[in-house]
Amino acid sequence: MTGVPAADRGWLAFPDGFVWGTATAAYQVEGAADENGRGPSIWDVFCRTPGKVARGETGDVACDHYHRVEADLDLMASLGLPSYRFSVAWPRVLPDGTGAVNQRGIDFYRRLVDGLLERGITPLPTLYHWDLPQALQERGGWANRESAQWFADYATVVAGALGDVVGTFMTLNEPWCVAFLGHATGVLAPGFTDDALALQVVHHLNLAHGLGSAAIRAAAPSAQVSLALNVAQVYPASDDPGDADAARHADGLANRIFLDPILRGAYPADVVADTEPWCDWSFVLPDDLATIGVGVDVLGVNYYTPSRVVGPASAGAASLDDAPAGRWTERAGARPVAWPGTRLAWTVPQPGPFTDMGWRIEPSSFTDLLTRLSRDYPGVPMMVTENGCAFGDGPGADGRVHDNRRIAYLQDHLAAVHAAIAAGADVRGYYLWSFLDNFEWSLGYDKRFGLVHVDYDSLVRTPKDSASWYSDVVRANGLLG
């Protein structure tokens, strides 16, 4: 752990075969938003809606990864990164969401995958990282039950094009954000604020995972299937029974609403009962859970920070009216904030230290989360598919980026992963978010998560000190604890 003299720290060796990598997402890094046949996505529209994105910024150019892919892959290789998790832009492959395939889009991802393999880097593509084609949003988007089949058809195209050289496909990234931040709080695209609609979207995303998994396995029989959930570690803020019940409720809406149908074939009874006052769940049809409950070959876990919650009584909220909703990016203020999609649990301010996102740094919560998943869903191997921190370090007088706070965060969180493995959790890999500084959704370009600094005017890449540090960890397959 940081702050402990090196002489007093032990070596933390990770298991043989442990996979190390970094991650990005298409809309956050690619740019080329209207080139070579790409259609518009919901994020192209959302970014142009006044007041939705800081400073009116967009992903039109982002990091220009689309045009600089060869140099970016060379940089990855120079850092000795063994694997790269990226996402495929649905509107680049299917500009209208369904129908005619844009071969130039497929060709880009084939060049990306082939370029990775030529450099000894294992590709890990995610099929959906939030950039739904706008043409499908105009047909109802994820609120339309047909969206699950649209996704499966898209998965068939991508798996058919890349399945001969890709060993694992991820279906969805953070469906909780898509459902609740995109349809309940409205802070992400498409920007709706309807708690009942968010639950319907949850189900259609789960159905999309099930149908998409079947499509991938049909098109690429040797490939494994995964998905990435931003699993929340939710603690009650006190010993009050109402706070404990709020933590149970928040855990249900954040975690078990996805984990249980996919891994156990059923929605949690308490989640259904809790939400019945505003949702009748009539969108769940008789055969849906059999389709959804196909499981995963490996579960992707995205994790950054814990939450602490209180119940309505402690929050002082007697009704659903006049209630703030949707903490996502900044530390909570003086008031409790309603958990996205409900008023039965409220997040409360936590003490620091914080990242630039306002997220509390608490590495032990990561150990708690991974060991809980191992205990509650035994036999399901895991990979950490996102973990990292935003700090605004830039080049100094010497031209280097000395991001010691990021190194400390990574050091402590990797030690937390190691502790979970030592306790019996089957964690098989770690993908650091992110390879490059990039477009951070509603926050624009202000928050920097990258191992590599990007000057957004010149687009020059500068590896930070953390890039060299992480390269050493990867090479050694371990670190000082």
Side-chain angles (χ1 to χ4, degrees):
M1 298 178 67
T2 53
V4 179
D8 297 331
R9 286 149 51 193
W11 181 255
L12 305 180
F14 282 78
D16 292 343
F18 193 82
V19 177
W20 299 94
T22 57
T24 65
Y27 191 75
Q28 295 180 270
V29 299
E30 283 183 2
D34 60 355
E35 295 185 36
N36 293 329
R38 179 188 179 274
S41 76
I42 56 174
W43 273 93
D44 295 288
V45 173
F46 194 72
C47 288
R48 286 166 172 76
T49 304
K52 295 298 186 181
V53 176
R55 298 169 296 279
E57 292 168 344
T58 76
D60 287 0
V61 176
C63 305
D64 199 32
H65 178 65
Y66 185 86
H67 295 115
R68 299 165 187 259
V69 64
E70 293 294 331
D72 285 342
L73 298 188
D74 285 343
L75 180 54
M76 265 180 232
S78 74
L79 294 172
L81 301 177
S83 187
Y84 176 48
R85 178 180 173 233
F86 62 95
S87 76
V88 176
W90 190 340
R92 199 178 292 285
V93 173
L94 291 167
D96 294 322
T98 60
V101 174
N102 176 30
Q103 190 58 43
R104 289 174 293 180
I106 288 291
D107 290 346
F108 170 72
Y109 293 109
R110 185 69 197 212
R111 288 196 304 274
L112 171 59
V113 167
D114 288 346
L116 289 165
L117 294 172
E118 288 165 5
R119 293 165 175 83
I121 302 170
T122 300
L124 179 59
T126 301
L127 297 185
Y128 187 71
H129 199 132
W130 305 1
D131 47 357
L132 186 74
Q134 177 62 22
L136 296 185
Q137 186 59 49
E138 291 169 4
R139 295 165 64 182
W142 289 111
N144 185 337
R145 181 181 172 86
E146 292 183 31
S147 60
Q149 187 59 54
W150 298 336
F151 177 78
D153 294 342
Y154 159 61
T156 296
V157 171
V158 177
L162 304 178
D164 60 321
V165 288
V166 167
T168 302
F169 290 93
M170 305 197 81
T171 54
L172 309 172
N173 180 78
E174 297 184 352
W176 179 85
C177 292
V178 177
F180 289 102
L181 302 187
H183 295 80
T185 69
V187 299
L188 297 182
F192 296 127
T193 54
D194 184 328
D195 291 350
L197 179 66
L199 293 171
Q200 182 171 319
V201 169
V202 164
H203 182 64
H204 294 162
L205 288 162
N206 284 335
L207 195 59
H209 169 74
L211 291 174
S213 297
I216 291 166
R217 289 171 173 141
S222 63
Q224 292 193 321
V225 178
S226 179
L227 88 162
L229 300 179
N230 54 317
V231 189
Q233 179 59 33
V234 185
Y235 298 106
S238 76
D239 293 333
D240 186 283
D243 295 353
D245 193 57
R248 173 203 57 77
H249 175 67
D251 175 73
L253 281 183
N255 302 330
R256 292 180 288 116
I257 201 169
F258 299 103
L259 289 164
D260 281 18
I262 291 170
L263 300 179
R264 294 175 173 170
Y267 282 106
D270 65 314
V271 171
V272 174
D274 286 350
T275 57
E276 278 181 346
W278 64 90
C279 178
D280 64 9
W281 291 80
S282 60
F283 45 75
V284 181
L285 301 186
D287 295 332
D288 285 358
L289 289 168
T291 300
I292 293 167
V294 295
V296 290
D297 295 300
V298 60
L299 176 65
V301 177
N302 296 358
Y303 188 72
Y304 295 92
T305 187
S307 295
R308 285 175 170 79
V309 298
V310 297
S314 297
S319 74
L320 304 186
D321 299 327
D322 192 30
R327 188 188 77 85
W328 175 49
T329 54
E330 301 297 337
R331 72 187 57 142
R335 296 178 67 188
V337 177
W339 191 268
T342 184
R343 300 298 184 271
L344 300 181
W346 300 70
T347 60
V348 294
Q350 300 184 77
F354 301 104
T355 69
D356 283 359
M357 292 290 282
W359 292 343
R360 173 174 163 78
I361 301 171
E362 187 178 337
S364 62
S365 68
F366 201 5
T367 305
D368 290 347
L369 175 74
L370 293 170
T371 52
R372 173 267 174 104
L373 289 172
S374 178
R375 179 184 67 249
D376 289 358
Y377 303 92
V380 180
M382 294 177 282
M383 289 192 301
V384 176
T385 39
E386 287 185 26
N387 177 242
C389 54
F391 287 115
D393 306 289
D398 60 358
R400 296 174 58 191
V401 181
H402 302 293
D403 58 337
N404 292 331
R405 292 177 296 173
R406 177 169 290 101
I407 292 173
Y409 178 100
L410 296 173
Q411 168 98 26
D412 290 347
H413 282 76
L414 284 172
V417 174
H418 187 275
I421 294 171
D426 185 4
V427 183
R428 300 185 180 184
Y430 177 93
Y431 288 81
L432 189 153
W433 185 271
S434 64
F435 174 55
L436 300 170
D437 288 340
N438 55 58
F439 177 78
E440 188 51 40
W441 306 111
S442 299
L443 301 180
Y445 292 97
D446 187 48
K447 308 301 183 187
R448 293 179 175 269
F449 279 85
L451 287 177
V452 176
H453 179 274
V454 177
D455 182 310
Y456 293 122
D457 293 322
S458 67
L459 297 173
V460 167
R461 277 79 158 133
T462 303
K464 304 174 187 179
D465 286 356
S466 58
S468 176
W469 177 87
Y470 188 57
S471 182
D472 289 343
V473 170
V474 170
R475 188 179 305 109
N477 197 37
L479 70 159
L480 282 174

